[in-house]
Structures are given as structure tokens and as C-alpha cells.
Amino acid sequence: SQKIEQNSEALNIQEGKTATLTCNYTNYSPAYLQWYRQDPGRGPVFLLLIRENEKEKRKERLKVTFDTTLKQSLFHITASQPADSATYLCALTSGTYKYIFGTGTRLKVLA
Amino acid sequence: GAVVSQHPSWVICKSGTSVKIECRSLDFQATTMFWYRQFPKQSLMLMATSNEGSKATYEQGVEKDKFLINHASLTLSTLTVTSAHPEDSSFYICSKLRTDTQYFGPGTRLTVL
């Protein structure tokens, strides 16, 4: 069955460092992969989308890579700040409206 | 981006009652909207796709008679949890699509006593 794995353990990093979150998937051929931020008790907020033919995407301090051979995406936040503390979700779609979401990785940036 | 609102943001009800959750698209008309459910520390699970002017499409395992969806206008979709039970307590989130990206509402926390 289709499966997305994100590190369920919380990730604690020091302010100013680069946070790297991982999203691995199996039994799926996604057309798009997306990253969302979710704060406690709130709906997810869209951050970045990367297509299957793209290797890397950047937006300000965010960078996403997509390796369809490894079936993995990495999400980087450079110069991390305490305000970046949240849960980050990856989501896959084969190009239809149906998205499969990971359980998310909780990031905590320590001041 | 795109703007989606939900109402109420939280609701507490007694077992056996029905609860209606509204989802509004504030910036553009949405012929299709989506309803998700999220249990603590779990991923978002798609419940159903709401289609304006037609019946909703439910995912496998979701009871259509229990989770009534109405999409009467291009900017409003409603989810009614009928005869709610404690196991229906969850975080309900709606979304809409814009150019391959889903934009989510702020969510509704339902607690059934």
C-alpha cells in the first residue's frame, strides 16, 4: 500500500542552524510533492510545491529537494528561527485532487 | 495563496446530537472543496470531496449517512456530523484547490461528550 514516512520524532535545533526534514514514500509515483506547515490547532499552510521533473525548489529560507529514484524529499530551513517551530507535513499527489499526507515532523527551534 | 474560512473553530456537543461545520471560500468560487479529518498525531485523512450542485464523493470507509455534505453554492460547503459519538471527536479541516495546491481552512475542533 502507498505509504509516506516522516520522522515522527521531534527535531530540536539551535537558532541559526539549518533544519533538515525528511519525507520518504513507497509504492507511489507522485507527480507533485508539497510541504505544509501546521501549527497546533490550526489547518496546514502551503509552503512549497515541487514537481517530479524538478530536483530542487527554493523560496526565501526554504529549500526542497525531490529524488524520485530514492523516493525521498528533503526540506531545509536555513537560518532557523524560534518562529519556525511547528509541525511540517509532506503531501504527495499523482496529479489528481487526492493527496496523501505524512504524519508530520515536529520542529522546535531553540533560542 | 487562497483564503478559506471555517465556522465554528471549535464545538462541544452531547452524544447523539448533530453538528454542522461551514467552510467558505473567501476569494474565489470553488466548485470543488474537500473535507479532511485529523486525529491527534496522525496525518490528514480525506473524508470526501464536495461538488457544487451535485452529490459528494466519499472515501472508502466514510459513512455518507453520518457525514452529510452539502455544497449549495460556489463559496460554501457544509459538513454535518449526524448523531455524533465520542469517537467522532476530531479536528475537521476543509480545503480547496488552486493550481495544483490545496489551501486549507483553519479547522474545527469537535469534541463529543
Side-chain angles (χ1 to χ4, degrees), chain A residues 32 34 36 38 41-46 49 51 89 93 95-104 106, chain B residues 32 34 36 38 41-44 46 49 57 59 91 93 97 99-107 109:
Chain A
Y32 315 123
Q34 301 179 357
Y36 289 82
Q38 187 174 25
R42 306 291 294 174
V45 174
F46 169 72
L49 176 152
R51 293 181 169 78
L89 309 172
T93 177
T96 68
Y97 64 85
K98 289 200 177 184
Y99 287 68
I100 301 175
F101 285 84
T103 54
R106 190 159 51 89
Chain B
T32 303
F34 307 94
Y36 288 82
Q38 185 179 33
K41 297 190 177 181
Q42 294 190 23
S43 63
L44 279 76
L46 179 65
T49 302
T57 304
E59 294 302 301
F91 193 51
I93 315 173
L97 262 181
T99 56
D100 304 324
T101 297
Q102 293 222 10
Y103 292 91
F104 291 88
R109 171 74 58 194

mmCIF file of all heavy atoms in Angstrom, chain A residues 32 34 36 38 41-46 49 51 89 93 95-104 106, chain B residues 32 34 36 38 41-44 46 49 57 59 91 93 97 99-107 109:
data_model
loop_
_atom_site.group_PDB
_atom_site.id
_atom_site.type_symbol
_atom_site.label_atom_id
_atom_site.label_comp_id
_atom_site.label_asym_id
_atom_site.label_seq_id
_atom_site.Cartn_x
_atom_site.Cartn_y
_atom_site.Cartn_z
ATOM 1 N N TYR A 32 3.475 15.455 -7.997
ATOM 2 C CA TYR A 32 3.867 16.615 -7.205
ATOM 3 C C TYR A 32 4.115 16.195 -5.775
ATOM 4 O O TYR A 32 3.501 15.262 -5.280
ATOM 5 C CB TYR A 32 2.765 17.680 -7.163
ATOM 6 C CG TYR A 32 2.115 18.003 -8.470
ATOM 7 C CD1 TYR A 32 0.753 17.872 -8.621
ATOM 8 C CD2 TYR A 32 2.854 18.467 -9.543
ATOM 9 C CE1 TYR A 32 0.136 18.172 -9.809
ATOM 10 C CE2 TYR A 32 2.246 18.766 -10.741
ATOM 11 C CZ TYR A 32 0.886 18.617 -10.869
ATOM 12 O OH TYR A 32 0.283 18.913 -12.055
ATOM 13 N N GLN A 34 4.445 18.241 -1.977
ATOM 14 C CA GLN A 34 4.260 19.548 -1.345
ATOM 15 C C GLN A 34 4.632 19.480 0.125
ATOM 16 O O GLN A 34 4.528 18.433 0.754
ATOM 17 C CB GLN A 34 2.805 20.002 -1.479
ATOM 18 C CG GLN A 34 2.362 20.097 -2.915
ATOM 19 C CD GLN A 34 0.927 20.518 -3.054
ATOM 20 O OE1 GLN A 34 0.218 20.702 -2.083
ATOM 21 N NE2 GLN A 34 0.487 20.681 -4.291
ATOM 22 N N TYR A 36 3.880 21.451 3.805
ATOM 23 C CA TYR A 36 2.979 22.342 4.522
ATOM 24 C C TYR A 36 3.501 22.538 5.938
ATOM 25 O O TYR A 36 4.154 21.659 6.508
ATOM 26 C CB TYR A 36 1.572 21.741 4.625
ATOM 27 C CG TYR A 36 0.806 21.692 3.329
ATOM 28 C CD1 TYR A 36 1.009 20.659 2.418
ATOM 29 C CD2 TYR A 36 -0.128 22.660 3.022
ATOM 30 C CE1 TYR A 36 0.309 20.613 1.227
ATOM 31 C CE2 TYR A 36 -0.848 22.617 1.834
ATOM 32 C CZ TYR A 36 -0.627 21.584 0.952
ATOM 33 O OH TYR A 36 -1.331 21.537 -0.225
ATOM 34 N N GLN A 38 2.087 23.229 9.814
ATOM 35 C CA GLN A 38 0.875 23.192 10.628
ATOM 36 C C GLN A 38 1.215 23.573 12.057
ATOM 37 O O GLN A 38 2.045 22.924 12.698
ATOM 38 C CB GLN A 38 0.200 21.813 10.586
ATOM 39 C CG GLN A 38 -1.147 21.802 11.291
ATOM 40 C CD GLN A 38 -1.900 20.492 11.131
ATOM 41 O OE1 GLN A 38 -1.311 19.438 10.917
ATOM 42 N NE2 GLN A 38 -3.228 20.546 11.230
ATOM 43 N N GLY A 41 -3.534 23.147 16.515
ATOM 44 C CA GLY A 41 -4.926 23.587 16.446
ATOM 45 C C GLY A 41 -5.271 24.416 15.224
ATOM 46 O O GLY A 41 -6.307 25.080 15.193
ATOM 47 N N ARG A 42 -4.415 24.363 14.213
ATOM 48 C CA ARG A 42 -4.656 25.142 13.002
ATOM 49 C C ARG A 42 -4.584 24.244 11.775
ATOM 50 O O ARG A 42 -4.004 23.164 11.813
ATOM 51 C CB ARG A 42 -3.614 26.266 12.858
ATOM 52 C CG ARG A 42 -3.496 27.180 14.052
ATOM 53 C CD ARG A 42 -4.721 28.044 14.210
ATOM 54 N NE ARG A 42 -4.842 28.988 13.095
ATOM 55 C CZ ARG A 42 -5.894 29.791 12.921
ATOM 56 N NH1 ARG A 42 -6.908 29.740 13.773
ATOM 57 N NH2 ARG A 42 -5.940 30.622 11.902
ATOM 58 N N GLY A 43 -5.157 24.725 10.663
ATOM 59 C CA GLY A 43 -5.043 23.989 9.422
ATOM 60 C C GLY A 43 -3.666 24.155 8.797
ATOM 61 O O GLY A 43 -2.956 25.118 9.099
ATOM 62 N N PRO A 44 -3.264 23.233 7.936
ATOM 63 C CA PRO A 44 -1.952 23.330 7.283
ATOM 64 C C PRO A 44 -1.870 24.560 6.377
ATOM 65 O O PRO A 44 -2.854 24.954 5.763
ATOM 66 C CB PRO A 44 -1.877 22.048 6.454
ATOM 67 C CG PRO A 44 -2.873 21.125 7.055
ATOM 68 C CD PRO A 44 -3.970 22.004 7.574
ATOM 69 N N VAL A 45 -0.676 25.104 6.296
ATOM 70 C CA VAL A 45 -0.415 26.254 5.423
ATOM 71 C C VAL A 45 0.594 25.827 4.363
ATOM 72 O O VAL A 45 1.661 25.299 4.694
ATOM 73 C CB VAL A 45 0.132 27.451 6.228
ATOM 74 C CG1 VAL A 45 0.528 28.592 5.298
ATOM 75 C CG2 VAL A 45 -0.913 27.925 7.236
ATOM 76 N N PHE A 46 0.262 26.061 3.107
ATOM 77 C CA PHE A 46 1.116 25.657 1.991
ATOM 78 C C PHE A 46 2.431 26.421 2.008
ATOM 79 O O PHE A 46 2.464 27.646 2.202
ATOM 80 C CB PHE A 46 0.381 25.901 0.673
ATOM 81 C CG PHE A 46 1.256 25.756 -0.540
ATOM 82 C CD1 PHE A 46 1.688 24.500 -0.944
ATOM 83 C CD2 PHE A 46 1.654 26.865 -1.265
ATOM 84 C CE1 PHE A 46 2.503 24.357 -2.051
ATOM 85 C CE2 PHE A 46 2.460 26.741 -2.380
ATOM 86 C CZ PHE A 46 2.880 25.491 -2.775
ATOM 87 N N LEU A 49 5.802 23.637 -3.477
ATOM 88 C CA LEU A 49 5.433 22.519 -4.338
ATOM 89 C C LEU A 49 6.607 22.217 -5.244
ATOM 90 O O LEU A 49 7.239 23.140 -5.784
ATOM 91 C CB LEU A 49 4.200 22.870 -5.168
ATOM 92 C CG LEU A 49 3.694 21.862 -6.201
ATOM 93 C CD1 LEU A 49 2.187 22.035 -6.404
ATOM 94 C CD2 LEU A 49 4.400 21.992 -7.543
ATOM 95 N N ARG A 51 7.703 19.508 -8.521
ATOM 96 C CA ARG A 51 7.193 18.524 -9.466
ATOM 97 C C ARG A 51 8.196 17.399 -9.667
ATOM 98 O O ARG A 51 9.390 17.541 -9.385
ATOM 99 C CB ARG A 51 6.851 19.197 -10.792
ATOM 100 C CG ARG A 51 5.672 20.148 -10.669
ATOM 101 C CD ARG A 51 5.296 20.811 -11.980
ATOM 102 N NE ARG A 51 4.012 21.495 -11.874
ATOM 103 C CZ ARG A 51 3.832 22.677 -11.302
ATOM 104 N NH1 ARG A 51 4.858 23.314 -10.797
ATOM 105 N NH2 ARG A 51 2.626 23.221 -11.244
ATOM 106 N N LEU A 89 4.435 19.007 7.319
ATOM 107 C CA LEU A 89 3.832 17.858 6.656
ATOM 108 C C LEU A 89 4.275 17.797 5.204
ATOM 109 O O LEU A 89 4.348 18.835 4.536
ATOM 110 C CB LEU A 89 2.305 17.974 6.644
ATOM 111 C CG LEU A 89 1.584 18.265 7.957
ATOM 112 C CD1 LEU A 89 0.116 18.542 7.700
ATOM 113 C CD2 LEU A 89 1.725 17.087 8.903
ATOM 114 N N THR A 93 0.769 13.791 -4.478
ATOM 115 C CA THR A 93 -0.365 13.530 -5.340
ATOM 116 C C THR A 93 0.144 13.022 -6.677
ATOM 117 O O THR A 93 1.218 13.412 -7.140
ATOM 118 C CB THR A 93 -1.239 14.782 -5.546
ATOM 119 O OG1 THR A 93 -2.295 14.468 -6.448
ATOM 120 C CG2 THR A 93 -0.426 15.927 -6.118
ATOM 121 N N GLY A 95 -1.343 13.708 -9.290
ATOM 122 C CA GLY A 95 -1.807 14.683 -10.263
ATOM 123 C C GLY A 95 -3.302 14.881 -10.215
ATOM 124 O O GLY A 95 -3.833 15.771 -10.861
ATOM 125 N N THR A 96 -3.955 14.056 -9.426
ATOM 126 C CA THR A 96 -5.386 14.242 -9.213
ATOM 127 C C THR A 96 -5.576 15.096 -7.962
ATOM 128 O O THR A 96 -4.617 15.582 -7.379
ATOM 129 C CB THR A 96 -6.094 12.901 -9.002
ATOM 130 O OG1 THR A 96 -5.660 12.351 -7.741
ATOM 131 C CG2 THR A 96 -5.737 11.926 -10.109
ATOM 132 N N TYR A 97 -6.798 15.242 -7.519
ATOM 133 C CA TYR A 97 -7.041 16.034 -6.317
ATOM 134 C C TYR A 97 -6.710 15.266 -5.054
ATOM 135 O O TYR A 97 -6.713 15.815 -3.959
ATOM 136 C CB TYR A 97 -8.507 16.462 -6.276
ATOM 137 C CG TYR A 97 -9.452 15.293 -6.164
ATOM 138 C CD1 TYR A 97 -9.764 14.736 -4.927
ATOM 139 C CD2 TYR A 97 -10.032 14.732 -7.297
ATOM 140 C CE1 TYR A 97 -10.620 13.661 -4.821
ATOM 141 C CE2 TYR A 97 -10.880 13.647 -7.194
ATOM 142 C CZ TYR A 97 -11.173 13.120 -5.966
ATOM 143 O OH TYR A 97 -12.019 12.049 -5.872
ATOM 144 N N LYS A 98 -6.452 13.967 -5.172
ATOM 145 C CA LYS A 98 -6.224 13.153 -3.970
ATOM 146 C C LYS A 98 -4.780 13.298 -3.513
ATOM 147 O O LYS A 98 -3.844 12.997 -4.243
ATOM 148 C CB LYS A 98 -6.544 11.696 -4.253
ATOM 149 C CG LYS A 98 -8.024 11.442 -4.407
ATOM 150 C CD LYS A 98 -8.352 9.980 -4.195
ATOM 151 C CE LYS A 98 -9.854 9.762 -4.282
ATOM 152 N NZ LYS A 98 -10.227 8.375 -3.982
ATOM 153 N N TYR A 99 -4.637 13.744 -2.288
ATOM 154 C CA TYR A 99 -3.332 13.921 -1.696
ATOM 155 C C TYR A 99 -3.163 12.917 -0.565
ATOM 156 O O TYR A 99 -4.082 12.650 0.192
ATOM 157 C CB TYR A 99 -3.191 15.329 -1.128
ATOM 158 C CG TYR A 99 -3.052 16.401 -2.185
ATOM 159 C CD1 TYR A 99 -4.109 16.718 -3.018
ATOM 160 C CD2 TYR A 99 -1.855 17.084 -2.342
ATOM 161 C CE1 TYR A 99 -3.971 17.690 -3.988
ATOM 162 C CE2 TYR A 99 -1.713 18.063 -3.311
ATOM 163 C CZ TYR A 99 -2.777 18.359 -4.132
ATOM 164 O OH TYR A 99 -2.635 19.318 -5.085
ATOM 165 N N ILE A 100 -1.969 12.386 -0.434
ATOM 166 C CA ILE A 100 -1.634 11.539 0.708
ATOM 167 C C ILE A 100 -0.678 12.337 1.576
ATOM 168 O O ILE A 100 0.326 12.862 1.086
ATOM 169 C CB ILE A 100 -0.961 10.234 0.264
ATOM 170 C CG1 ILE A 100 -1.874 9.458 -0.671
ATOM 171 C CG2 ILE A 100 -0.617 9.366 1.476
ATOM 172 C CD1 ILE A 100 -1.218 8.220 -1.241
ATOM 173 N N PHE A 101 -1.006 12.428 2.861
ATOM 174 C CA PHE A 101 -0.202 13.230 3.778
ATOM 175 C C PHE A 101 0.614 12.340 4.704
ATOM 176 O O PHE A 101 0.167 11.271 5.120
ATOM 177 C CB PHE A 101 -1.111 14.111 4.632
ATOM 178 C CG PHE A 101 -1.665 15.289 3.897
ATOM 179 C CD1 PHE A 101 -2.796 15.175 3.116
ATOM 180 C CD2 PHE A 101 -1.032 16.524 3.986
ATOM 181 C CE1 PHE A 101 -3.295 16.264 2.423
ATOM 182 C CE2 PHE A 101 -1.529 17.613 3.298
ATOM 183 C CZ PHE A 101 -2.654 17.484 2.513
ATOM 184 N N GLY A 102 1.787 12.815 5.035
ATOM 185 C CA GLY A 102 2.563 12.178 6.086
ATOM 186 C C GLY A 102 2.048 12.643 7.437
ATOM 187 O O GLY A 102 1.219 13.542 7.524
ATOM 188 N N THR A 103 2.543 12.024 8.503
ATOM 189 C CA THR A 103 2.109 12.386 9.846
ATOM 190 C C THR A 103 2.791 13.647 10.354
ATOM 191 O O THR A 103 2.381 14.215 11.349
ATOM 192 C CB THR A 103 2.375 11.254 10.843
ATOM 193 O OG1 THR A 103 3.752 10.896 10.760
ATOM 194 C CG2 THR A 103 1.525 10.036 10.531
ATOM 195 N N GLY A 104 3.825 14.086 9.643
ATOM 196 C CA GLY A 104 4.474 15.324 10.032
ATOM 197 C C GLY A 104 5.649 15.128 10.969
ATOM 198 O O GLY A 104 5.718 14.135 11.702
ATOM 199 N N ARG A 106 7.659 17.295 13.954
ATOM 200 C CA ARG A 106 7.583 18.495 14.795
ATOM 201 C C ARG A 106 8.973 19.083 14.951
ATOM 202 O O ARG A 106 9.903 18.418 15.395
ATOM 203 C CB ARG A 106 6.995 18.132 16.142
ATOM 204 C CG ARG A 106 6.632 19.326 17.021
ATOM 205 C CD ARG A 106 5.598 18.916 18.076
ATOM 206 N NE ARG A 106 6.018 17.731 18.809
ATOM 207 C CZ ARG A 106 6.754 17.758 19.922
ATOM 208 N NH1 ARG A 106 7.150 18.896 20.423
ATOM 209 N NH2 ARG A 106 7.092 16.641 20.535
ATOM 210 N N THR B 32 -15.275 22.716 -6.262
ATOM 211 C CA THR B 32 -14.902 21.516 -5.525
ATOM 212 C C THR B 32 -14.171 21.909 -4.251
ATOM 213 O O THR B 32 -13.266 22.738 -4.282
ATOM 214 C CB THR B 32 -13.979 20.609 -6.364
ATOM 215 O OG1 THR B 32 -14.635 20.278 -7.585
ATOM 216 C CG2 THR B 32 -13.637 19.341 -5.607
ATOM 217 N N PHE B 34 -12.858 20.073 -0.281
ATOM 218 C CA PHE B 34 -12.504 18.790 0.311
ATOM 219 C C PHE B 34 -12.643 18.856 1.826
ATOM 220 O O PHE B 34 -12.371 19.881 2.441
ATOM 221 C CB PHE B 34 -11.056 18.420 -0.049
ATOM 222 C CG PHE B 34 -10.789 18.472 -1.522
ATOM 223 C CD1 PHE B 34 -10.268 19.618 -2.098
ATOM 224 C CD2 PHE B 34 -11.054 17.383 -2.328
ATOM 225 C CE1 PHE B 34 -10.028 19.687 -3.461
ATOM 226 C CE2 PHE B 34 -10.819 17.440 -3.688
ATOM 227 C CZ PHE B 34 -10.306 18.593 -4.263
ATOM 228 N N TYR B 36 -11.370 16.956 5.339
ATOM 229 C CA TYR B 36 -10.403 16.059 5.948
ATOM 230 C C TYR B 36 -10.714 15.922 7.439
ATOM 231 O O TYR B 36 -11.350 16.782 8.055
ATOM 232 C CB TYR B 36 -8.977 16.626 5.812
ATOM 233 C CG TYR B 36 -8.394 16.588 4.423
ATOM 234 C CD1 TYR B 36 -8.705 17.571 3.487
ATOM 235 C CD2 TYR B 36 -7.506 15.577 4.057
ATOM 236 C CE1 TYR B 36 -8.141 17.549 2.215
ATOM 237 C CE2 TYR B 36 -6.944 15.547 2.790
ATOM 238 C CZ TYR B 36 -7.263 16.533 1.885
ATOM 239 O OH TYR B 36 -6.707 16.501 0.634
ATOM 240 N N GLN B 38 -8.491 14.849 11.069
ATOM 241 C CA GLN B 38 -7.154 14.623 11.599
ATOM 242 C C GLN B 38 -7.262 14.280 13.079
ATOM 243 O O GLN B 38 -7.711 15.105 13.882
ATOM 244 C CB GLN B 38 -6.267 15.860 11.405
ATOM 245 C CG GLN B 38 -4.825 15.648 11.817
ATOM 246 C CD GLN B 38 -3.973 16.880 11.582
ATOM 247 O OE1 GLN B 38 -4.444 18.011 11.702
ATOM 248 N NE2 GLN B 38 -2.698 16.683 11.234
ATOM 249 N N LYS B 41 -1.812 13.515 16.425
ATOM 250 C CA LYS B 41 -0.544 12.939 15.994
ATOM 251 C C LYS B 41 -0.711 12.000 14.806
ATOM 252 O O LYS B 41 0.107 11.101 14.599
ATOM 253 C CB LYS B 41 0.133 12.207 17.157
ATOM 254 C CG LYS B 41 0.485 13.151 18.302
ATOM 255 C CD LYS B 41 1.360 12.500 19.332
ATOM 256 C CE LYS B 41 1.733 13.522 20.415
ATOM 257 N NZ LYS B 41 2.616 12.959 21.436
ATOM 258 N N GLN B 42 -1.754 12.197 14.037
ATOM 259 C CA GLN B 42 -1.945 11.409 12.825
ATOM 260 C C GLN B 42 -2.029 12.326 11.612
ATOM 261 O O GLN B 42 -2.145 13.541 11.747
ATOM 262 C CB GLN B 42 -3.217 10.558 12.941
ATOM 263 C CG GLN B 42 -3.132 9.480 14.006
ATOM 264 C CD GLN B 42 -4.288 8.523 13.942
ATOM 265 O OE1 GLN B 42 -4.928 8.361 12.904
ATOM 266 N NE2 GLN B 42 -4.571 7.880 15.054
ATOM 267 N N SER B 43 -1.952 11.727 10.457
ATOM 268 C CA SER B 43 -1.979 12.529 9.243
ATOM 269 C C SER B 43 -3.402 12.915 8.884
ATOM 270 O O SER B 43 -4.363 12.363 9.416
ATOM 271 C CB SER B 43 -1.336 11.761 8.090
ATOM 272 O OG SER B 43 -2.067 10.590 7.806
ATOM 273 N N LEU B 44 -3.516 13.863 7.972
ATOM 274 C CA LEU B 44 -4.832 14.249 7.474
ATOM 275 C C LEU B 44 -5.378 13.123 6.613
ATOM 276 O O LEU B 44 -4.678 12.584 5.755
ATOM 277 C CB LEU B 44 -4.733 15.509 6.607
ATOM 278 C CG LEU B 44 -4.672 16.846 7.306
ATOM 279 C CD1 LEU B 44 -3.301 17.071 7.902
ATOM 280 C CD2 LEU B 44 -4.998 17.959 6.330
ATOM 281 N N LEU B 46 -8.433 12.219 3.969
ATOM 282 C CA LEU B 46 -9.519 12.748 3.154
ATOM 283 C C LEU B 46 -10.795 11.968 3.445
ATOM 284 O O LEU B 46 -10.799 10.739 3.384
ATOM 285 C CB LEU B 46 -9.158 12.640 1.671
ATOM 286 C CG LEU B 46 -10.202 13.134 0.679
ATOM 287 C CD1 LEU B 46 -10.414 14.641 0.830
ATOM 288 C CD2 LEU B 46 -9.786 12.804 -0.751
ATOM 289 N N THR B 49 -15.094 14.501 -1.073
ATOM 290 C CA THR B 49 -14.962 15.625 -1.994
ATOM 291 C C THR B 49 -16.337 16.220 -2.199
ATOM 292 O O THR B 49 -17.288 15.500 -2.549
ATOM 293 C CB THR B 49 -14.387 15.146 -3.336
ATOM 294 O OG1 THR B 49 -13.130 14.518 -3.088
ATOM 295 C CG2 THR B 49 -14.193 16.310 -4.292
ATOM 296 N N THR B 57 -18.535 13.010 -3.082
ATOM 297 C CA THR B 57 -17.869 11.725 -3.290
ATOM 298 C C THR B 57 -17.143 11.357 -2.008
ATOM 299 O O THR B 57 -16.256 12.093 -1.561
ATOM 300 C CB THR B 57 -16.849 11.831 -4.440
ATOM 301 O OG1 THR B 57 -17.510 12.302 -5.605
ATOM 302 C CG2 THR B 57 -16.231 10.473 -4.716
ATOM 303 N N GLU B 59 -14.832 8.902 0.540
ATOM 304 C CA GLU B 59 -13.737 7.944 0.528
ATOM 305 C C GLU B 59 -14.202 6.639 1.169
ATOM 306 O O GLU B 59 -15.166 6.603 1.945
ATOM 307 C CB GLU B 59 -12.530 8.507 1.273
ATOM 308 C CG GLU B 59 -11.915 9.714 0.587
ATOM 309 C CD GLU B 59 -11.464 9.413 -0.824
ATOM 310 O OE1 GLU B 59 -10.616 8.517 -1.006
ATOM 311 O OE2 GLU B 59 -11.965 10.083 -1.752
ATOM 312 N N PHE B 91 -10.386 16.711 14.626
ATOM 313 C CA PHE B 91 -10.137 18.018 14.020
ATOM 314 C C PHE B 91 -10.569 17.909 12.566
ATOM 315 O O PHE B 91 -10.025 17.095 11.809
ATOM 316 C CB PHE B 91 -8.646 18.340 14.153
ATOM 317 C CG PHE B 91 -8.275 19.759 13.850
ATOM 318 C CD1 PHE B 91 -8.939 20.811 14.461
ATOM 319 C CD2 PHE B 91 -7.246 20.058 12.965
ATOM 320 C CE1 PHE B 91 -8.581 22.133 14.193
ATOM 321 C CE2 PHE B 91 -6.883 21.364 12.694
ATOM 322 C CZ PHE B 91 -7.554 22.403 13.299
ATOM 323 N N ILE B 93 -11.048 19.586 8.865
ATOM 324 C CA ILE B 93 -10.464 20.668 8.076
ATOM 325 C C ILE B 93 -10.974 20.585 6.649
ATOM 326 O O ILE B 93 -11.028 19.492 6.067
ATOM 327 C CB ILE B 93 -8.914 20.564 8.028
ATOM 328 C CG1 ILE B 93 -8.325 20.262 9.410
ATOM 329 C CG2 ILE B 93 -8.304 21.852 7.473
ATOM 330 C CD1 ILE B 93 -6.835 19.985 9.392
ATOM 331 N N LEU B 97 -8.784 23.629 -3.978
ATOM 332 C CA LEU B 97 -7.633 23.535 -4.876
ATOM 333 C C LEU B 97 -7.460 24.816 -5.677
ATOM 334 O O LEU B 97 -8.442 25.417 -6.122
ATOM 335 C CB LEU B 97 -7.839 22.402 -5.879
ATOM 336 C CG LEU B 97 -7.181 21.045 -5.611
ATOM 337 C CD1 LEU B 97 -7.498 20.092 -6.739
ATOM 338 C CD2 LEU B 97 -5.679 21.187 -5.440
ATOM 339 N N THR B 99 -4.512 25.740 -8.688
ATOM 340 C CA THR B 99 -3.296 25.395 -9.436
ATOM 341 C C THR B 99 -2.450 24.366 -8.697
ATOM 342 O O THR B 99 -1.335 24.648 -8.266
ATOM 343 C CB THR B 99 -2.445 26.635 -9.739
ATOM 344 O OG1 THR B 99 -2.141 27.318 -8.524
ATOM 345 C CG2 THR B 99 -3.155 27.539 -10.694
ATOM 346 N N ASP B 100 -2.979 23.172 -8.571
ATOM 347 C CA ASP B 100 -2.269 22.013 -8.037
ATOM 348 C C ASP B 100 -1.973 22.069 -6.548
ATOM 349 O O ASP B 100 -1.309 21.173 -6.019
ATOM 350 C CB ASP B 100 -0.942 21.778 -8.774
ATOM 351 C CG ASP B 100 -1.132 21.635 -10.268
ATOM 352 O OD1 ASP B 100 -2.155 21.054 -10.666
ATOM 353 O OD2 ASP B 100 -0.276 22.108 -11.026
ATOM 354 N N THR B 101 -2.424 23.074 -5.878
ATOM 355 C CA THR B 101 -2.124 23.213 -4.450
ATOM 356 C C THR B 101 -3.418 23.267 -3.656
ATOM 357 O O THR B 101 -4.363 23.930 -4.045
ATOM 358 C CB THR B 101 -1.310 24.486 -4.190
ATOM 359 O OG1 THR B 101 -0.057 24.362 -4.869
ATOM 360 C CG2 THR B 101 -1.055 24.681 -2.712
ATOM 361 N N GLN B 102 -3.434 22.560 -2.524
ATOM 362 C CA GLN B 102 -4.589 22.609 -1.646
ATOM 363 C C GLN B 102 -4.386 23.707 -0.620
ATOM 364 O O GLN B 102 -3.341 23.804 0.005
ATOM 365 C CB GLN B 102 -4.780 21.265 -0.945
ATOM 366 C CG GLN B 102 -5.161 20.148 -1.894
ATOM 367 C CD GLN B 102 -6.243 19.238 -1.351
ATOM 368 O OE1 GLN B 102 -6.865 19.513 -0.340
ATOM 369 N NE2 GLN B 102 -6.476 18.136 -2.040
ATOM 370 N N TYR B 103 -5.412 24.519 -0.438
ATOM 371 C CA TYR B 103 -5.399 25.576 0.571
ATOM 372 C C TYR B 103 -6.443 25.218 1.617
ATOM 373 O O TYR B 103 -7.592 24.966 1.291
ATOM 374 C CB TYR B 103 -5.687 26.940 -0.067
ATOM 375 C CG TYR B 103 -4.566 27.379 -0.967
ATOM 376 C CD1 TYR B 103 -4.578 27.058 -2.322
ATOM 377 C CD2 TYR B 103 -3.470 28.077 -0.465
ATOM 378 C CE1 TYR B 103 -3.544 27.439 -3.156
ATOM 379 C CE2 TYR B 103 -2.431 28.460 -1.293
ATOM 380 C CZ TYR B 103 -2.467 28.138 -2.644
ATOM 381 O OH TYR B 103 -1.428 28.509 -3.454
ATOM 382 N N PHE B 104 -5.983 25.195 2.864
ATOM 383 C CA PHE B 104 -6.806 24.681 3.946
ATOM 384 C C PHE B 104 -7.441 25.792 4.778
ATOM 385 O O PHE B 104 -6.895 26.884 4.927
ATOM 386 C CB PHE B 104 -5.954 23.804 4.869
ATOM 387 C CG PHE B 104 -5.527 22.513 4.238
ATOM 388 C CD1 PHE B 104 -4.360 22.440 3.496
ATOM 389 C CD2 PHE B 104 -6.309 21.372 4.383
ATOM 390 C CE1 PHE B 104 -3.979 21.244 2.903
ATOM 391 C CE2 PHE B 104 -5.926 20.174 3.794
ATOM 392 C CZ PHE B 104 -4.761 20.120 3.051
ATOM 393 N N GLY B 105 -8.579 25.446 5.342
ATOM 394 C CA GLY B 105 -9.191 26.305 6.328
ATOM 395 C C GLY B 105 -8.483 26.142 7.663
ATOM 396 O O GLY B 105 -7.617 25.276 7.819
ATOM 397 N N PRO B 106 -8.873 26.932 8.655
ATOM 398 C CA PRO B 106 -8.209 26.880 9.965
ATOM 399 C C PRO B 106 -8.604 25.669 10.798
ATOM 400 O O PRO B 106 -7.988 25.406 11.824
ATOM 401 C CB PRO B 106 -8.662 28.178 10.629
ATOM 402 C CG PRO B 106 -9.960 28.499 9.974
ATOM 403 C CD PRO B 106 -9.851 28.006 8.567
ATOM 404 N N GLY B 107 -9.634 24.928 10.367
ATOM 405 C CA GLY B 107 -10.023 23.730 11.094
ATOM 406 C C GLY B 107 -11.096 23.974 12.141
ATOM 407 O O GLY B 107 -11.277 25.088 12.631
ATOM 408 N N ARG B 109 -12.413 22.068 15.735
ATOM 409 C CA ARG B 109 -12.194 21.024 16.734
ATOM 410 C C ARG B 109 -13.538 20.586 17.269
ATOM 411 O O ARG B 109 -14.260 21.367 17.863
ATOM 412 C CB ARG B 109 -11.331 21.570 17.870
ATOM 413 C CG ARG B 109 -11.207 20.639 19.082
ATOM 414 C CD ARG B 109 -10.306 19.470 18.820
ATOM 415 N NE ARG B 109 -8.968 19.876 18.435
ATOM 416 C CZ ARG B 109 -8.074 19.052 17.900
ATOM 417 N NH1 ARG B 109 -8.393 17.788 17.695
ATOM 418 N NH2 ARG B 109 -6.879 19.492 17.579
#
